[in-house]
Amino acid sequence: MPDMDPETTHTEPAVDEEASLFSTMDLLLFSVIVSFVVYWFMSRKKPEPIPEFKKLDTPTLTTRETSFIEKMKKTGKNIIVFYGSQTGTAEEFANRLSKDAQRYGMKGMVADPEEYSMGELSRLSEIKNSLAIFCMATYGEGDPTDNAQDFYDWLQENDDENLSGLNYTVFGLGNKTYEHYNAMGKYVDKRLEQLGATRIFDLGMGDDDGNLEEDFVSWREQFWPAVCEHFGVEASGDESSIRQYELKEHTDINMNKVYTGEIGRLKSFEVQKPPFDSKNPFLAPVTVNRKLNKAGDRHLMHLELDITGSKIRYESGDHVAVFPTNDSALVNKLGQTLGVDLDVVISLNNLDEESNKKHPFPCPTTYRTALTHYLDITHPPRTNVLYELAQYASDPKDQENMRKMASSSPEGKALYQSWVLDASRNILAILEDMPSLRPPVDHLCELLPRLQARYYSIASSSKVHPNSIHICAVVVEYETKTGRTNKGVATNWLKNKLVTDNGHKSAVPMYIRKSQFRLPFKSTNPVIMVGPGTGIAPFVGFIQERGWLKQQGKEVGETVLYFGCRHKNEDYIYQEELEGTEKNGVLTQLNVAFSRDQDHKVYVQHLLTKNKEHVWKLIHTDNAHIYICGDAKNMAKDVQTAFYEIAEQVGGMTRTQAVDYVKKLMTKGRYSQDVWS
């Protein structure tokens, strides 16, 4: 306490001084605060250029971005070709029809329905002699392609839409081996008519199981005369080649601005940013790449892709899309045959400056990158490519044959079928077998279709493998009629994706495509899975998931698998895993058909009918869900027939009743197929 006294007496005068000083400070502080408040209010008012801000969002910009009508008016176009494409073929056909328009004295533009407001179709009548063409592919089990999904939804939801001023025609792309052949083309054609639009030419239907190219060419040959007649115009008769892009060679360019295989954003493989999709794939490291079969001349493989940190989510039954590259030996040979430096940096720029598609593939890039990453050089070229390239053949006989193959004459069709399709001649084989044909490489790059992503059924469950996606595939390799060896692009590329390649981790550009191929919502529902060969892929995931559900203490219904392969000692893939899951009760029944281990062939459908009583009980009494995966052309049809027979023999139905019964199962989502041809 005595220590405190001197301090107290010492501070008192100081308090008096501060009190007198405070009044001055108060005034000063007050004026500073007032000035600050005034300044704050004034300065706050200034960023009131919110109207200025809104200028960025004016209707004109939206119009320019999503209005195909305004774009057509601005560029003098009267024909618009929309495409719904999953593998690029419908887009390719759309481009050909748009190009054709010029030959008939009209002007066409190609449009992705995903990029435009399709509600504007009713305004197309504002443009004289206007026409909308729809090239619509069907994907999976009668579904629209990804880019046509919104358009499909719009057609379904807008019953009061009036399209009475719209002239249209539809060409559908499908495959007869599938249950819902050309469903999307048929739906668009019928729905547009229901909404009041005028069909000016019959629905065209291309069958990829037959000859899609021939179907398209035959339809197109009749379509244009009908258009000319409808609008009272005459064909210009100009059959000359029409270039869509012009070449620009870059001699002095910063290589950091050159595309090296990226699908969308430049340097996207160096700096990866989610979300990952078809325009921004994730570069997934390969952690496992092993051969599945013990013997035989085929190569069946199991790959595992690491998706750690990608935020990618998937479910059992989904598909993984991978972006392969062409064989470098094939690319080099193409460069040598054409006598070009493949490392020249180029851009192909659209001559139509208003087009949304500025380049046929990401530019600037090199010819080597374009032919390796962006262009399809392994499929037999379509007739329009032959037609356009014919002018570069110095031998008149070669020119004549190429033009003949591109015509719709029976002789020309037969020649194209035998010389190109049946002989599986790709562009390199054609150049080798026609030494007089040496087109400029830039025109060839303009004409070749884009190299597409390949889809595989995922062979894992995210419940068990949340950071890994598994692929099961068979390497495609065969000898052609000309004695050449043709190799499947994606499967051979995947085969060579070793876990470490010269000390570097191999990676695969990929994304997920959602599927309707799903396990039942109720785990108590039994499942019957039929998947011979690599058709087992999604069922590996299904079995893993049912096992996981059991571990969680859930009640799980019967899990029955019908698998098939050639020989037990050769290609019984996943044998240890399957027999292990049967042993621990996850797989309640494992049925394997070894087709060539005895004198007569035994397939999965034979085992189904052999177990018909059990199969019928599961379906008819226990509400089982049926899943088929694999070959669409033969297996899926034969299996479906086996189910008809079971319904007849055990269920006492007639064939008509059996067919209706299976159709009802499909409608209810209890009969699902993931098939390919």
Side-chain angles (χ1 to χ4, degrees):
M1 203 68 173
D3 288 345
M4 293 286 288
D5 281 343
E7 260 191 79
T8 315
T9 50
H10 195 267
T11 52
E12 264 185 90
V15 171
D16 285 343
E17 265 180 48
E18 258 183 73
S20 60
L21 196 101
F22 239 65
S23 55
T24 324
M25 281 279 285
D26 278 350
L27 284 168
L28 214 115
L29 270 166
F30 183 71
S31 58
V32 167
I33 289 164
V34 168
S35 310
F36 177 77
V37 169
V38 170
Y39 170 77
W40 188 73
F41 269 106
M42 293 293 285
S43 62
R44 212 169 143 252
K45 276 225 168 222
K46 267 188 186 166
E48 189 113 4
I50 284 183
E52 194 86 52
F53 209 38
K54 280 195 171 173
K55 272 186 186 170
L56 293 173
D57 214 8
T58 54
T60 34
L61 190 74
T62 331
T63 303
R64 209 165 60 238
E65 279 184 343
T66 65
S67 171
F68 61 84
I69 297 292
E70 297 310 318
K71 188 170 241 187
M72 289 174 78
K73 285 178 177 178
K74 188 179 174 186
T75 55
K77 307 279 170 70
N78 65 325
I79 289 181
I80 184 160
V81 194
F82 293 103
Y83 63 87
S85 190
Q86 198 69 32
T87 62
T89 309
E91 183 181 359
E92 196 188 321
F93 285 179
N95 277 310
R96 286 162 71 174
L97 290 167
S98 174
K99 244 183 181 184
D100 282 346
Q102 205 168 320
R103 296 195 172 107
Y104 292 89
M106 295 174 245
K107 287 185 85 178
M109 74 174 258
V110 176
D112 181 342
E114 201 172 31
E115 293 178 5
Y116 293 100
S117 168
M118 297 305 282
E120 286 205 322
L121 283 172
S122 58
R123 289 184 57 204
L124 203 58
S125 55
E126 294 173 18
I127 297 166
K128 195 185 171 196
N129 285 359
S130 62
L131 169 66
I133 306 171
F134 297 86
C135 287
M136 308 307 291
T138 299
Y139 184 75
E141 293 301 297
D143 303 318
T145 58
D146 291 349
N147 77 311
Q149 184 66 55
D150 290 346
F151 174 46
Y152 175 75
D153 293 343
W154 178 82
L155 283 173
Q156 284 201 308
E157 291 158 12
N158 289 278
D159 288 329
D160 52 353
E161 195 71 38
N162 179 10
L163 299 181
S164 55
L166 173 70
N167 295 310
Y168 80 95
T169 192
V170 178
F171 183 82
L173 295 84
N175 187 311
K176 272 189 179 155
T177 58
Y178 290 84
E179 179 80 20
H180 306 279
Y181 173 59
N182 256 316
M184 189 59 183
K186 290 173 185 172
Y187 175 74
V188 171
D189 181 61
K190 185 181 172 185
R191 186 64 175 144
L192 291 174
E193 184 183 43
Q194 285 172 348
L195 296 174
T198 305
R199 183 192 296 108
I200 69 155
F201 191 65
D202 293 341
L203 164 70
M205 289 199 284
D207 176 19
D208 202 26
D209 186 46
N211 187 332
L212 186 61
E213 175 70 13
E214 189 178 308
D215 294 337
F216 175 69
V217 169
S218 301
W219 176 84
R220 178 172 154 248
E221 292 277 329
Q222 297 168 58
F223 163 67
W224 283 113
V227 172
C228 292
E229 191 182 331
H230 183 88
F231 293 121
V233 296
E234 281 183 35
S236 62
D238 180 17
E239 290 293 311
S240 63
S241 171
I242 300 164
R243 288 293 299 261
Q244 199 177 340
Y245 299 92
E246 64 178 350
L247 171 69
K248 179 176 171 54
E249 287 190 7
H250 303 277
T251 48
D252 185 20
I253 190 169
N254 179 350
M255 292 308 282
N256 283 324
K257 293 182 177 176
V258 176
Y259 282 87
T260 56
E262 303 94 329
I263 307 300
R265 180 174 51 85
L266 187 67
K267 302 293 174 197
S268 60
F269 289 158
E270 289 177 26
V271 183
Q272 293 258 276
K273 292 177 188 171
F276 297 105
D277 54 27
S278 59
K279 293 179 176 71
N280 180 36
F282 176 65
L283 217 48
V286 177
T287 55
V288 173
N289 184 347
R290 63 184 171 94
K291 189 177 179 180
L292 286 169
N293 50 314
K294 305 177 194 80
D297 52 3
R298 296 186 304 156
H299 185 101
L300 291 107
M301 57 191 172
H302 171 91
L303 284 93
E304 296 183 12
L305 310 179
D306 186 2
I307 55 167
T308 306
S310 66
K311 296 184 179 172
I312 288 173
R313 300 285 174 269
Y314 75 95
E315 289 180 66
S316 304
D318 283 343
H319 298 137
V320 58
V322 302
F323 288 93
T325 59
N326 289 310
D327 184 353
S328 58
L330 210 59
V331 173
N332 289 334
K333 215 169 180 187
L334 207 46
Q336 286 162 13
T337 306
L338 292 172
V340 294
D341 177 1
L342 293 175
D343 297 311
V344 171
V345 179
I346 56 119
S347 286
L348 286 179
N349 301 321
N350 203 319
L351 291 162
D352 177 0
E353 289 175 8
E354 295 298 322
S355 173
N356 275 15
K357 193 174 181 179
K358 302 299 177 194
H359 316 283
F361 43 78
C363 290
T365 191
T366 63
Y367 285 124
R368 185 182 304 283
T369 300
L371 293 167
T372 304
H373 293 269
Y374 300 138
L375 297 170
D376 186 341
I377 60 173
T378 60
H379 274 105
R382 298 198 185 277
T383 57
N384 66 305
V385 177
L386 300 182
Y387 182 84
E388 297 270 349
L389 294 181
Q391 61 185 308
Y392 300 115
S394 55
D395 183 337
K397 186 75 183 149
D398 286 346
Q399 255 193 48
E400 186 193 331
N401 280 334
M402 288 180 80
R403 291 208 168 104
K404 190 188 285 177
M405 284 190 280
S407 75
S408 58
S409 71
E411 193 189 349
K413 285 178 180 176
L415 185 60
Y416 176 71
Q417 181 68 44
S418 62
W419 199 78
V420 178
L421 298 182
D422 294 345
S424 303
R425 277 187 172 90
N426 58 31
I427 190 63
L428 178 61
I430 286 170
L431 293 171
E432 286 175 340
D433 294 345
M434 273 191 181
S436 91
L437 177 65
R438 291 297 177 264
V441 67
D442 62 293
H443 198 178
L444 182 65
C445 287
E446 175 180 322
L447 293 169
L448 289 173
R450 282 291 295 266
L451 182 58
Q452 298 295 324
R454 304 302 203 260
Y455 299 91
Y456 295 95
S457 302
I458 296 176
S460 54
S461 163
S462 59
K463 300 285 191 293
V464 181
H465 300 282
N467 294 316
S468 181
I469 282 171
H470 301 180
I471 294 173
C472 168
V474 58
V475 174
V476 176
E477 192 171 312
Y478 60 94
E479 193 172 301
T480 71
K481 287 182 178 177
T482 64
R484 294 178 171 93
T485 299
N486 276 8
K487 295 180 176 184
V489 176
T491 54
N492 280 277
W493 170 77
L494 284 171
K495 180 188 173 186
N496 294 317
K497 285 283 174 188
L498 307 174
V499 176
T500 49
D501 195 2
N502 292 329
H504 299 289
K505 270 195 171 182
S506 287
V508 168
M510 52 73 67
Y511 69 95
I512 298 298
R513 188 182 196 277
K514 292 292 171 192
S515 156
Q516 301 301 315
F517 203 67
R518 290 277 181 267
L519 276 169
F521 180 71
K522 286 183 183 173
S523 62
T524 50
N525 281 108
V527 296
I528 300 169
M529 304 170 288
V530 185
T534 55
I536 195 175
F539 304 137
V540 174
F542 279 14
I543 294 163
Q544 286 175 4
E545 191 144 328
R546 301 277 274 193
W548 178 84
L549 287 165
K550 275 196 148 189
Q551 284 175 356
Q552 303 306 301
K554 297 265 170 69
E555 191 189 335
V556 177
E558 282 199 52
T559 305
V560 177
L561 175 68
Y562 285 85
F563 172 66
C565 60
R566 294 176 183 180
H567 304 281
K568 184 175 183 176
N569 296 327
E570 275 188 16
D571 53 354
Y572 184 1
I573 58 177
Y574 299 112
Q575 181 179 356
E576 292 77 15
E577 293 94 321
L578 294 174
E579 290 175 354
T581 53
E582 188 186 28
K583 228 172 245 174
N584 63 26
V586 171
L587 204 52
T588 47
Q589 199 183 92
L590 172 61
N591 306 281
V592 187
F594 303 108
S595 62
R596 302 181 189 182
D597 273 353
Q598 58 284 309
D599 295 337
H600 60 287
K601 297 272 178 76
V602 176
Y603 294 119
V604 282
Q605 61 268 25
H606 300 133
L607 298 189
L608 278 165
T609 47
K610 187 182 169 189
N611 299 333
K612 57 190 174 186
E613 280 84 8
H614 180 239
V615 169
W616 183 249
K617 179 190 172 290
L618 289 176
I619 300 167
H620 197 64
T621 311
D622 302 341
N623 285 321
H625 285 233
I626 301 162
Y627 300 92
I628 322 289
C629 184
D631 161 54
K633 198 167 187 176
N634 299 308
M635 184 278 296
K637 285 180 177 173
D638 292 341
V639 166
Q640 200 163 313
T641 303
F643 281 113
Y644 295 157
E645 287 168 0
I646 291 167
E648 286 172 330
Q649 292 165 19
V650 190
M653 297 181 182
T654 64
R655 177 53 65 104
T656 310
Q657 288 170 330
V659 169
D660 284 346
Y661 185 83
V662 171
K663 277 208 170 129
K664 274 178 189 151
L665 290 177
M666 288 176 177
T667 310
K668 289 175 184 171
R670 283 182 53 206
Y671 191 112
S672 306
Q673 299 186 93
D674 179 2
V675 292
W676 56 84
S677 61

